[in-house]
Amino acid sequence: MRQKKEKTRFSHILSLKTGLNPNSSSLGANTTWLLVWSSALAIFGPVLSLAIRGIAAVRKKDKPGNT
Amino acid sequence: MDFRPEHFGGLLHLAHPRLLLWLDENLASVFKQDPGQDVCRHTELTEGGPSQRESLLGAPIEVHMNLSERCWTGCSHCYVDATPSGPVMNPARACRLLDLMADARVFHVALGGGEPLDYPALLEVAHHARKRGIVPNLTTSGTGLNEKTAFRLTRVFGQINVSLDVPPGQGDSFRSDLHVAEQSLVMLRKYSKNVGINMVLSRKTFRQLNKIIALASKLGLGEVELLRLKPGGRASSIYEKERITASQGIELLPRVLSLAIKYRTAIRMDCSLAPFIYYHRPNLDVLSFFNIRGCEAGNMLAGVDASGNLKACSFSPWIEGPAEHMLDFFGNKGAFTIFNELEQTLGEPCASCDYLELCRGGCRAVAYFLTGQASSPDPECPVVLGLPSPYVSLKTAMISWIGRSE
Ligand code: SF4
Ligand code: SF4
């Protein structure tokens, strides 16, 4: 099912486009940004999830009845 | 710096760095000189139109204008079927059309052809665009370029790309004078860093992708733009034989990203290649923020051919009218109907695709050529072909990994 979701806003800038398109036939998108951001997510994603896992483990430990 | 009010806030165009920013109302208000300034120049026209397109801009951000459909190179994949006797736009008419674009506050114009270097008034038209606050950009085969012209071109154009699909001496190409293209790149690069390669992907040239990126890196070029072969002009007769294969389509994005790292070169992919990006399910917010979009014909871009016909994009099979009427079309939800109503008219699997809003069903030129239907999903999209995704999205992987701690 197609998801309709709220757009993420980066402060007051809704989106951006870099460079100039010299091609007289179509609109070029710089895929390098995809790479940069995917890499950032790939690095921070596991760190974030590690932190969440850590918090989850501590909470489990603190629950009454757990030793 | 140039600002254009829009219904969501406004568009801010910066020359250095070369950026176009979509601002919300709050930030846009800083740039609005008069609070009552027209939020969207065509507000009256956009009301009550049949389309529900939310993202419709007041005018395109760029217009692609073919000054001439004359060319001596004879590439077999030429989508305008340029010949030595093709139509040419009168320079006075080209300047009048640029004036209209300036009135609509279009930011960029891409001048092409045919071979624009054979157009005697090319520099004059480009300077006129600059004078009216529009950044001109250029695509050329490089045929006939000399040092003096190279220098003069780099003074006025924002970005110049030379068409090259195969490095010289490396195999079958759509054109025969590959050395000319390489020499032109060397000449242009001497005077500007804003020079790049336009590479048309076919099943044969796909094998040369690594070599083209390596060449761009060796020559110190700013970017390579990859273009999908489109079924227009002479290319129609070779399209089905020459288009990239389904497996090449799947391989494209991972290959591009690894080449961008290896050669530290910016690689752009044209709008018609969007389904091959979305197939790998990249993050929607990242795509949307960096405007990695599919078909923006009739919204972010419009096309004008050498005969002065207005089209939603240069490849659109439909002529909308004389380009002199462009102000009636821009920002008008009732115009460019085939394109503006796609979100309502596209069938499955596009209708329920997560990427529909960005992709808009793939390339209309390809879809119409292959199916004869204006609102058919792009038949070459790997999702439309029903190919299983080889990648698990990062998000899904993360969620399942986090879930393991419960
Ligand atoms: S299914 Fe349709 S909307 Fe989705 S990526 Fe393919 S062509 Fe685009
Ligand atoms: S029809 Fe759409 S996707 Fe195809 S080239 Fe034109 S703008 Fe791009």
Side-chain angles (χ1 to χ4, degrees), chain A residues 25-26, chain B residues 230 271-272 294-297 301 313 315-316 339 362-365:
Chain A
S25 51
S26 45
Chain B
K230 317 271 191 332
C271 43
S272 62
C295 190
E296 281 296 326
L301 80 157
C313 100
F315 291 107
S316 168
F339 294 88
C363 181
R364 271 321 78 215

Side-chain angles (χ1 to χ4, degrees), chain A residues 2-3 7-8 12 14-17 19-29 31 37 49 53 60, chain B residues 18 20 22 24 62 64 108 139 225 227 267-271 285 289-291 314-315 353-354 357 401:
Chain A
R2 192 177 158 214
Q3 301 157 11
K7 284 201 176 80
T8 304
H12 295 292
L14 306 173
S15 64
L16 58 83
K17 207 171 183 317
L20 300 171
N21 179 30
N23 181 21
S24 58
S25 51
S26 45
L27 197 73
T31 35
W37 279 85
S49 59
R53 285 180 73 167
K60 232 181 204 177
Chain B
R18 306 194 302 175
L20 190 61
W22 275 245
D24 72 1
E62 62 188 69
H64 302 148
H108 308 149
T139 296
E225 178 154 351
L227 309 159
I267 305 177
R268 297 167 84 91
M269 285 165 78
D270 90 338
C271 43
D285 289 330
F289 186 70
F290 290 106
N291 270 300
S314 321
F315 291 107
C353 177
D354 288 342
E357 204 182 315
W401 197 54

Side-chain angles (χ1 to χ4, degrees), chain A residues 2 7, chain B residues 53 271 274 278 282-289 291-296 343 354-362:
Chain A
R2 192 177 158 214
K7 284 201 176 80
Chain B
R53 191 167 183 180
C271 43
Y278 303 150
N283 183 290
L284 268 168
D285 289 330
V286 174
L287 294 172
S288 172
F289 186 70
N291 270 300
I292 301 177
R293 290 175 177 272
C295 190
E296 281 296 326
E343 280 181 58
D354 288 342
Y355 295 85
L356 174 64
E357 204 182 315
L358 294 172
C359 178
R360 309 183 59 76

